[in-house]
């Protein structure tokens, strides 16, 4: 895989798909800064099609708004690289792809594009499970590939964490 993902994800995609399968959930992704790497990591696992419904690579704000229903007010301020945007992307792709679980990633992979407020490596990752959203902001370091690989890894971990929380709260096995 590009950017050395096989070294950083350590079976996380397989675990996520297995947990979704066990809980009877379907999965979708909305990606910006990762350019489809989360979906690629998931679909690299044989049998992913019984759980993974699909994804949207929404690099441009117009696509985030038109396809994923990210409000224009969010895209203007606080912006595309923000927790409200990541949340809206995850909720939008869950609705669009009819999935109980959805991941989103939006950020600044570099090497340019950063600012003092949002430096290169700033990434917001969202996860929804049955409509409940969880979002985290990260400040990754390294090359463009390193930022993107770290984003994929943390997105998969966030999804597993959210599914564990949902299982604990709702008594799912």
């Amino acid at each position: 895989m590009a950017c050395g993902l096989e070294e950083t994800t350590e079976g996380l995609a397989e675990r996520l798909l297995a947990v979704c399968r066990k809980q009877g959930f379907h999965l979708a992704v909305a990606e910006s800064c990762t350019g489809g790497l989360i979906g690629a990591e998931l679909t690299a696992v044989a049998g992913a099609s019984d759980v993974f419904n699909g994804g949207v690579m929404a690099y441009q704000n117009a696509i985030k708004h038109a396809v994923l229903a990210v409000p224009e007010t969010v895209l203007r301020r606080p912006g595309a690289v923000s927790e409200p945007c990541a949340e809206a992307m995850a909720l939008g792709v869950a609705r669009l792809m009819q999935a109980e679980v959805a991941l989103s990633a939006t950020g600044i992979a570099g090497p340019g594009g950063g600012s003092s407020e949002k430096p290169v490596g700033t990434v917001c990752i969202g996860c929804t499970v049955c409509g409940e959203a969880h979002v985290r902001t990260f400040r990754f370091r390294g090359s463009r590939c390193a930022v993107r690989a770290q984003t994929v890894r943390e997105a998969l971990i966030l999804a597993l964490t959210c599914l564990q929380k949902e299982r604990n709260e709702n008594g799912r096995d």
Side-chain angles (χ1 to χ4, degrees), residues 6-138:
E6 67 279 356
E7 297 166 6
T8 62
T9 54
E10 303 169 1
L12 293 170
E14 292 169 11
R15 284 182 39 214
L16 176 56
L17 292 166
V19 170
C20 285
R21 191 175 291 113
K22 184 175 182 181
Q23 293 185 230
F25 290 157
H26 291 91
L27 177 64
V29 297
E31 302 185 61
S32 186
C33 64
T34 48
L37 291 175
I38 299 169
E41 192 69 7
L42 291 165
T43 58
V45 177
S49 61
D50 65 342
V51 174
F52 185 66
N53 285 1
V56 173
M57 189 184 347
Y59 221 63
Q60 296 292 323
N61 285 352
I63 302 303
K64 288 177 180 82
H65 174 67
V67 177
L68 298 173
V70 176
E72 287 182 355
T73 54
V74 167
L75 293 169
R76 280 194 296 274
R77 188 108 187 108
V81 180
S82 69
E83 290 189 0
C85 184
E87 180 176 333
M89 287 172 65
L91 290 167
V93 81
R95 193 170 35 255
L96 182 68
M97 298 288 169
Q98 300 176 359
E100 295 83 5
V101 180
L103 283 169
S104 66
T106 182
I108 306 162
S115 67
S116 59
E117 183 182 328
K118 295 177 186 177
V120 169
T122 303
V123 178
C124 299
I125 299 173
C127 178
T128 63
V129 178
C130 299
E132 185 177 336
H134 306 270
V135 186
R136 292 199 50 209
T137 298
F138 297 86

